[in-house]
Every structure is written in C-alpha cells, then in structure tokens.
Amino acid sequence: FAESPQTLTVGAKSFTESVTLAEIAKILGEEVGAPFNSVSELGGTRVLWSALKTGEISVYPEYTGTIREELFRGESLPDEAAIRKRLAREGISMTSPLGFNNTYALGMKESLAEELNIKTISDLNDHPTLKYGFGNEFMDRADGWPSLKAKYNLVAQDTQGMEHALTYRGVDSNEIQVTDVYATDPNINKFNLRVLKDDKFHFPKYEAVYLYRTELEKTHPKFISQLRSMAGRLSDQSMLSLNEQVELDNNSEAEVAARFVRETFQLD
Ligand code: PBE
C-alpha cells in the first residue's frame, strides 16, 4: 500500500503528557511522509473518544484502565485481547502498551500527611474534616471519586471539583488538603506531596497506548507501523522525565517530543 495523501489529526487531552505523546505520534508520522494538522488539544476523555469515533481525529493517546473502567464501564473486559475485540466493534485499534503506568492516586502535602499520620487512603477516615479538591474529570468519572468514595466508605464533608492544573496549588496553599494526582506528574515532587497507598486496590493499571482508527492500517500503513514501534519505549521514569522537561524546564511539548524521537529512534 502507498501512504494516502489525506491529512491526519492527532488528538490530545488537556494535560502535558497527553500532548507530548500526541506530538510524538505526529512526528513519527511526518517522518514517513504523512501530512498532519497541528495536534488538537480537545479536553477530557469523553471528548477525545467521541472525536476518534466520528473521525474528527485519527489517533490519540489513551490508558488501558481508562478504556476498561470509563469508556466501557460495566462490560467485562478482563484482558488486552478482550479490549481489542471490543474496540474493533467501533472501528478502533490499539497499539501495545508504551511501557508506563500513569495511575490515578490521592496525594497530600508530605508535612501534613506526616503530622496526621496518613499513609493509606483508608487512613483518611480518621480525619473527616479534611477538604478534598479534585480535577473535574476525576470528580465525575466512573473510576474516580464516586466509586473511590464508595469503596473506602470515605466520610468527606467538603469536596469540590476544579481544573486539575490548579489542584496542586490548592494543596500547596492549604485551600484543600487532598487531591487526585497522576503518577507520572512532576508536580508530585515539585509540591512535595505524599502519594497515599491504595490499600484496597481501587485503581486499575493505566498503561499508555495509542488508539487509532483501524482504517489507517490501509490508508497510512507506514504511520501505523511507526506508532506500533512505540511499544515498550517509555518507562515510568522516562515519561516522568519528559513531563519534567515541559512542566519544570519550560520546553514546549513539541520540542520535548522531537528530542525524544531523535534520541530513541536514531540508534535503531
Ligand atoms: N489517567 C491519569 C487519566 C489522567 C491521568 C491516566 C488515569 C486519564 O487520562 O485517563
């Protein structure tokens, strides 16, 4: 097959890691001559998933736990093969995992956690007056606050949703004391947060993958083979480091993505 001249769009959720992974996909595609629009940062999980199904975007980075627990909540998808089969019914395919797990977790200021002796999510119930502030998506998601609260029987009297990017400052200034964090987010270290142990194993694994429209295997086979070559390329540590380069060192996602692709694929 020859590569189709049709211009593709890679979508991203509104956070650094998602945009960086989208930029990586775009660069890999451009390397084999496929034309791309600029990365389309659309919002939250549901928006991206709809845009992929309608064809507004052709590819976006997603997480296995999110596919299983949020997109297909209530359906039994025990393993990767089951996920693939379910996605196929929507005309969507998934690459193999890229290698890291960006799980949700609850975090609080290390100093406060130490003072109150909170190590696990269960420990939170010893302190019912703590204020909780969560990113809006976590607040609503099936695998987020509603089910976490139920699983741990959390007595949270004060809970609010906010833009996720603002939760770290909220914790830092003590406006809230507990928030949802993403495991590969450099803000955990920057703001000196303690990640509470998920002692009841609420959260599944959120392994990063790319979702793409299956028709691209015919129209853009070289691009898809490039995308697939990302399997296993990013450890937890290396993804954290890319996120740091954007969030702490003020590089753009596109710059960080370009450097990553150069360093990772040049030696092959
Ligand atoms: N996560 C944690 C979320 C955001 C970060 C990977 C589970 C998601 O995008 O699905």
Side-chain angles (χ1 to χ4, degrees):
F1 291 112
E3 211 78 350
S4 150
Q6 180 212 342
T7 304
L8 301 177
T9 305
V10 185
K13 303 188 197 179
S14 304
F15 59 97
T16 298
E17 176 173 296
S18 192
V19 177
T20 304
L21 293 173
E23 294 286 359
I24 289 172
K26 174 175 179 264
I27 293 165
L28 289 173
E30 285 171 341
E31 271 195 344
V32 292
F36 281 85
N37 295 313
S38 48
V39 165
S40 193
E41 198 179 320
L42 293 175
T45 298
R46 290 272 161 199
V47 180
L48 272 296
W49 174 239
S50 304
L52 184 66
K53 287 200 294 183
T54 61
E56 184 189 336
I57 58 173
S58 297
V59 186
Y60 83 94
E62 191 46 284
Y63 302 88
T64 52
T66 302
I67 299 169
R68 190 181 272 132
E69 303 290 330
E70 168 70 357
L71 297 180
F72 300 121
R73 185 73 175 186
E75 301 183 35
S76 163
L77 302 173
D79 53 22
E80 214 180 289
I83 296 181
R84 283 180 196 286
K85 227 170 140 186
R86 182 64 188 81
L87 288 168
R89 280 167 46 197
E90 313 280 344
I92 305 297
S93 296
M94 175 176 95
T95 64
S96 294
L98 310 187
F100 68 93
N101 174 24
N102 183 5
T103 186
Y104 275 126
L106 293 193
M108 55 192 296
K109 233 189 220 185
E110 174 61 35
S111 51
L112 184 66
E114 186 59 34
E115 188 187 318
L116 302 180
N117 194 25
I118 298 174
K119 296 193 178 74
T120 67
I121 298 180
S122 293
D123 291 340
L124 288 169
N125 267 339
D126 300 334
H127 305 275
T129 58
L130 289 171
K131 289 189 191 145
Y132 294 70
F134 298 122
N136 291 314
E137 181 164 320
F138 185 80
M139 196 74 178
D140 291 336
R141 268 175 64 147
D143 52 345
W145 178 238
S147 58
L148 182 75
K149 184 171 192 241
K151 176 124 182 189
Y152 282 91
N153 262 313
L154 290 170
V155 254
Q157 291 157 356
D158 191 333
T159 322
Q160 55 179 305
M162 54 180 78
E163 212 179 300
H164 186 258
L166 302 179
T167 57
Y168 293 99
R169 298 205 174 278
V171 170
D172 202 48
S173 64
N174 206 36
E175 259 165 75
I176 54 173
Q177 284 93 39
V178 185
T179 190
D180 63 302
V181 299
Y182 305 169
T184 52
D185 192 332
N187 288 307
I188 294 173
N189 292 332
K190 180 179 169 190
F191 289 101
N192 212 350
L193 302 190
R194 178 180 290 185
V195 174
L196 305 185
K197 192 172 178 337
D198 179 15
D199 52 315
K200 290 190 177 173
F201 307 101
H202 171 73
F203 295 114
K205 266 194 173 175
Y206 296 87
E207 294 181 294
V209 293
Y210 287 107
L211 294 183
Y212 61 89
R213 294 176 60 79
T214 306
E215 74 219 19
L216 265 65
E217 290 174 2
K218 296 229 163 65
T219 59
H220 297 78
K222 290 185 194 151
F223 171 46
I224 293 307
S225 109
Q226 290 276 82
L227 260 195
R228 288 190 179 140
S229 71
M230 276 295 291
R233 295 284 186 170
L234 281 166
S235 63
D236 292 357
Q237 190 49 50
S238 47
M239 190 65 238
L240 173 66
S241 154
L242 297 187
N243 288 334
E244 282 173 350
Q245 290 167 38
V246 177
E247 300 239 346
L248 308 185
D249 309 335
N250 280 314
N251 298 287
S252 72
E253 287 95 342
E255 288 166 340
V256 171
R259 199 176 317 132
F260 168 81
V261 169
R262 228 183 300 128
E263 288 170 1
T264 307
F265 292 95
Q266 154 199 71
L267 304 173
D268 284 6

